[in-house]
Structure formats: structure tokens, C-alpha cells
Amino acid sequence: MDIIDSIILGVIQGLTEFLPVSSSGHLELGKAILGDHSIPQESLMFTVVLHFATALSTMVIFRKDIFTIFKSLFAFQWNEDTQLVVKILVSMIPAVIIGYNYESQLAELFGGSIQLVGFMLLITAFLLFLADKAKDTDKNVTFKNAFIIGIAQAIAMLPGISRSGATISASVLLGTDKTKAARFSFLIVVPLIFGKIAKDILTGDLTYNSESFVSLSIGFIAAFVSGLVACTWMITLVKKSKLTYFAIYCVVVGMIAIIYSSLNP
């Protein structure tokens, strides 16, 4: 993988992890555009590095929240921050169950099926449109809602379904305050990413070649920096009810993907 490809895929991951347009779907589209030859043999390592970068950018943006949460945990008090940790754990249950039991089936969906990505982007667009029309509230995420949001996150394992779009939409449609919905959506992905990385390391699935150090480093930096920008931007956009713009974008890209796959079977 050359430097340009590393930057492109890093920026795609960083932006689309937080913007509601599906990072997995755009990475599949990016691979199709760049050609499979642009993806290194250590593609899993490259993907893990990009996700690690976006997880770190989330931790930087929400560093005060994360510090407060850890501080509350060690205080051993059943307060709002401790409850947030439990809600995050509850939200992880669906994704962990599906990811553990159907990992190979999910992996088969990431085989360059542009048509699938296109249809899933249309579903993402529909969810974003509904969420943008939801009424403003000041409610927090409940334990029951945390589990439902977790189901939305599990469904977002499909390429083309935006994780942030699905979880924020589910949260808002359940009556959660939009800013709190975005905050919860971004916080719940951090333990999942680190959990997946730990699993890949323990199972020996990751392979590292010193020759790919430069491309990995550049991809990491690109994903981290673009992730910082996208995360901050997304919180503002959700608060101002600007998700319809992303819905239109998903419709356009989704239709292009469907038409392209139909013309190039």
C-alpha cells in the first residue's frame, strides 16, 4: 500500500466512523475504487490500526467524561456516572453475542458487495431522516434504551449501515436528548473496539510486517486527525438537527452504488 492509499483509507475511516454514513460501507467502496491490490496482505492489521486511531480520538474528545467515569467507579458509588458505565456494558451485549456467534458469516459480507452496501445506505438514510424529525427532549438514556441502542449497534455490523447513524437514530427516536444521544453513541464504541483488538491479538489473527510500518503509521495519523474533526463536528450537527443532509448523501451514494453494481455484475 502506498502513502496516498493509506491517507485516503485513514481519512475515510476517521470521518465515517463518526459521521452517519457508514465507515464499513465506505471502506468497501474505497477498496473497490482503489482496487484490492491497494489493500495489504496484513489488511486485518491495517483495519485494527484505523479503528484504534478512531477509538483514541473518541477518548481525546470525551477525556473529561472518561476521567469522571473512572473516578466515580473507584469511589464505589451508585451515581449517574457509574450507571452510565453499566448502560454502556448493557449496550455491548447484542454486538458481543452476534459478533462472537456469527463472525465468519459477517466477514463474508465484506467481500466487495457494492450492491449490498448501496441498499444498506438507503436504510441508513431512512433512519437519519426519521431521527432528524424527532422532537427535542432533555431525557437521558435508560437501561432499557441502552439495550435497544445496542441492538441497533449490532445491526450496524452490516456494511452500509452506519453505526453512529443507527445508534444515534435509535437513541433519539426513543426520546433521548440529541446531544446525550451522540455522546452515548460515541462512548459505547470504545470498549467494543478495544475488545475486538484484544481478541485478535489473543487469537493470533494479527500479522505484522515491518515493511508496512510506514503505511500503518500514516493511516493511523490520518484516521486519528480526521476522527477528531468528525467527532466534534458530528456532535454539533446532531444538536442542530442537520442529519437530513447526511440522509440525502446516503441516498445519492447508495443509488450510485446500486446502479454501478448493476452495470458491472
Side-chain angles (χ1 to χ4, degrees), residues 156-218:
M157 290 181 180
L158 296 171
I161 298 290
S162 166
R163 191 206 64 82
S164 61
T167 53
I168 291 174
S169 295
S171 187
V172 169
L173 292 172
L174 289 169
T176 307
D177 171 77
K178 292 182 178 180
T179 302
K180 294 175 182 177
R183 172 175 173 260
F184 188 73
S185 170
F186 296 149
L187 286 175
I188 62 177
V189 75
V190 174
L192 281 178
I193 290 177
F194 281 108
K196 182 64 168 63
I197 292 174
K199 175 183 176 297
D200 290 335
I201 292 175
L202 292 174
T203 56
D205 291 337
L206 296 181
T207 56
Y208 172 71
N209 187 331
S210 60
E211 295 179 358
S212 63
F213 176 78
V214 174
S215 62
L216 289 173
S217 300
I218 292 175

Side-chain angles (χ1 to χ4, degrees), residues 42-248:
E42 303 84 1
S43 58
L44 177 59
M45 172 65 80
F46 189 76
T47 301
V48 167
V49 167
L50 295 188
H51 280 88
F52 181 63
T54 50
L56 286 182
S57 63
T58 305
M59 295 178 70
V60 170
I61 297 296
F62 292 101
R63 58 190 180 278
K64 293 182 180 179
D65 299 78
I66 294 173
F67 176 77
T68 302
I69 289 171
F70 274 102
K71 185 178 179 181
S72 298
L73 282 176
F74 287 107
F76 300 102
Q77 296 177 351
W78 184 248
N79 53 28
E80 185 176 340
D81 293 312
T82 306
Q83 291 176 33
L84 175 60
V85 174
V86 177
K87 291 173 185 176
I88 290 174
L89 293 176
V90 169
S91 73
M92 292 171 57
I93 295 173
V96 170
I97 292 175
I98 292 178
Y100 179 80
N101 291 292
Y102 301 100
E103 184 176 12
S104 59
Q105 290 88 336
L106 288 169
E108 292 177 0
L109 298 176
F110 290 83
S113 179
I114 305 302
Q115 187 176 56
L116 174 63
V117 171
F119 281 115
M120 294 302 102
L121 282 172
L122 295 183
I123 294 176
T124 295
F126 179 68
L127 292 174
L128 294 175
F129 180 77
L130 289 179
D132 222 21
K133 301 302 179 183
K135 296 181 180 180
D136 292 329
T137 70
D138 59 354
K139 297 180 181 179
N140 288 312
V141 176
T142 65
F143 289 99
K144 177 182 177 181
N145 290 352
F147 184 77
I148 297 174
I149 294 167
I151 294 175
Q153 180 165 246
I155 294 173
M157 290 181 180
L158 296 171
I161 298 290
S162 166
R163 191 206 64 82
S164 61
T167 53
I168 291 174
S169 295
S171 187
V172 169
L173 292 172
L174 289 169
T176 307
D177 171 77
K178 292 182 178 180
T179 302
K180 294 175 182 177
R183 172 175 173 260
F184 188 73
S185 170
F186 296 149
L187 286 175
I188 62 177
V189 75
V190 174
L192 281 178
I193 290 177
F194 281 108
K196 182 64 168 63
I197 292 174
K199 175 183 176 297
D200 290 335
I201 292 175
L202 292 174
T203 56
D205 291 337
L206 296 181
T207 56
Y208 172 71
N209 187 331
S210 60
E211 295 179 358
S212 63
F213 176 78
V214 174
S215 62
L216 289 173
S217 300
I218 292 175
F220 175 89
I221 295 172
F224 178 75
V225 174
S226 57
L228 290 175
V229 174
C231 187
T232 305
W233 188 27
M234 186 58 189
I235 295 172
T236 302
L237 291 174
V238 173
K239 187 175 182 180
K240 294 183 177 180
S241 299
K242 301 295 184 181
L243 295 180
T244 299
Y245 298 130
F246 291 104
I248 295 172

